[in-house]
Amino acid sequence: MKNFYQPLIQADEIIDSLKQELQVKPFYQRILQKRVIDKAAKERGLTVTPDEIQAEGDKLRREKRLERAADTIAWLAEQMISVEDLEAGICDRLLAQKLAECLFAKDVNKIFVQNKLQFDGIILYQIIVQEPELAQELFYQIQEGEISFFDAAHFYDIDENRRNLCGCEGKVYRWGLKPDIAVAVFSAKPGAVIRPIQTDLVYHLFMVEKFLPAELTAERHEEILQKMFDEWLSNEVNYLLYNQPEIALAG
């Protein structure tokens, strides 16, 4: 496939641009992550088959609505990559998934059980305002039925997106909340407004719509697995950077 940007843009220009945009470190780390994954997968005999790459490629084409071969070619040209580049990227992602499963799948259930309380969830609504007097007034008005929580969020929240959603934060887990806020919302009655809580320079009003007891769903399994894998990968890259810098640089 023709590279339409070569010779318009040279490799050293790309590197200079990354430096100027302070993006060198993230790309450097990605390269080291790939080296770590390739090495660990090879040591464990993990491979990705052509059929697996084909299946993932077909899935991607369906998601992108690339129904004809010509559509796929045009999309690849727009992304400035070749078929080989696409397949290499798919292979890398599948290999990382296989390595994550190999390393940590057996530990997911144990981690979930040990941290089950942190995976309790709620459907949460929130209002954030800057003035303590306004927060207190809204609290009383909502309690007295003078205004609904949703209308108060729509009219007074400092964030436009939350105003449009009438304060809806959606599904929130205990581990994603500050400890004092987690205590308050997980001890509240559904539908009741919680007294204003101050954080930094703003004031929060919360309302819990529904409690969601922790379950080890397929989605939760993947979240725990990915978190464990990301932590392991970060530690491995840091080891290369700080203990074997000459290897990390030389490859």
Side-chain angles (χ1 to χ4, degrees):
M1 179 181 295
K2 180 179 178 181
N3 185 344
F4 295 100
Y5 288 79
Q6 181 90 40
L8 291 179
I9 300 176
Q10 302 298 325
D12 57 350
E13 292 180 278
I14 296 174
I15 294 173
D16 288 341
S17 178
L18 290 174
K19 290 178 179 178
Q20 292 160 12
E21 296 295 327
L22 304 179
Q23 292 297 312
V24 170
K25 184 177 179 180
F27 280 90
Y28 186 79
Q29 289 178 321
R30 288 181 193 176
I31 293 171
L32 292 183
Q33 287 173 354
K34 174 174 167 47
R35 290 182 185 176
V36 168
I37 291 170
D38 288 346
K39 180 175 182 293
K42 183 177 180 180
E43 291 172 348
R44 291 161 177 79
L46 301 176
T47 59
V48 177
T49 68
D51 287 344
E52 290 171 328
I53 295 174
Q54 180 67 45
E56 194 67 18
D58 292 342
K59 178 181 175 183
L60 176 63
R61 282 186 282 274
R62 288 192 297 271
E63 291 173 353
K64 299 293 182 181
R65 299 184 183 277
L66 304 173
E67 298 176 0
R68 301 175 303 166
D71 296 331
T72 301
I73 293 172
W75 181 79
L76 290 171
E78 182 181 349
Q79 302 302 314
M80 297 181 286
I81 61 174
S82 66
V83 173
E84 292 75 20
D85 295 329
L86 178 64
E87 291 179 345
I90 290 173
C91 182
D92 287 344
R93 289 190 293 275
L94 292 176
L95 192 62
Q97 291 171 10
K98 287 190 175 187
L99 180 59
E101 288 284 345
C102 178
L103 291 174
F104 301 113
K106 63 184 182 299
D107 298 321
V108 169
N109 187 69
K110 179 177 68 175
I111 295 298
F112 174 77
V113 171
Q114 291 175 346
N115 299 276
K116 191 173 182 180
L117 188 65
Q118 293 301 314
F119 294 117
D120 283 337
I122 49 177
I123 303 299
L124 185 66
Y125 285 77
Q126 176 178 202
I127 302 170
I128 300 179
V129 296
Q130 292 179 322
E131 301 82 12
E133 296 82 7
L134 177 59
Q136 200 65 43
E137 181 63 24
L138 290 175
F139 172 70
Y140 289 129
Q141 287 184 3
I142 296 169
Q143 274 197 321
E144 296 299 322
E146 297 176 14
I147 188 173
S148 72
F149 191 100
F150 314 109
D151 285 341
H154 181 68
F155 290 118
Y156 295 103
D157 198 286
I158 62 175
D159 180 76
E160 180 181 0
N161 185 59
R162 199 161 38 244
R163 287 199 302 271
N164 293 335
L165 294 174
C166 295
C168 182
E169 295 285 2
K171 185 187 297 184
V172 177
Y173 296 99
R174 188 188 297 267
W175 54 261
L177 297 169
K178 293 183 178 180
D180 55 337
I181 292 177
V183 170
V185 298
F186 276 93
S187 59
K189 293 182 179 179
V193 61
I194 299 171
R195 186 175 295 277
I197 298 174
Q198 180 182 4
T199 63
D200 300 325
L201 300 176
V202 296
Y203 297 81
H204 305 253
L205 294 171
F206 293 103
M207 183 182 71
V208 177
E209 179 183 280
K210 182 181 180 181
F211 287 98
L212 306 170
E215 290 184 84
L216 187 56
T217 61
E219 179 184 3
R220 174 66 62 219
H221 180 282
E222 288 304 313
E223 288 178 3
I224 296 173
L225 181 69
Q226 191 62 50
K227 186 174 186 294
M228 296 171 69
F229 182 67
D230 288 344
E231 290 176 353
W232 171 82
L233 190 56
S234 177
N235 289 334
E236 292 295 311
V237 168
N238 286 336
Y239 178 81
L240 285 179
L241 286 171
Y242 298 111
N243 294 280
Q244 303 180 60
E246 68 284 350
I247 295 178
L249 289 170

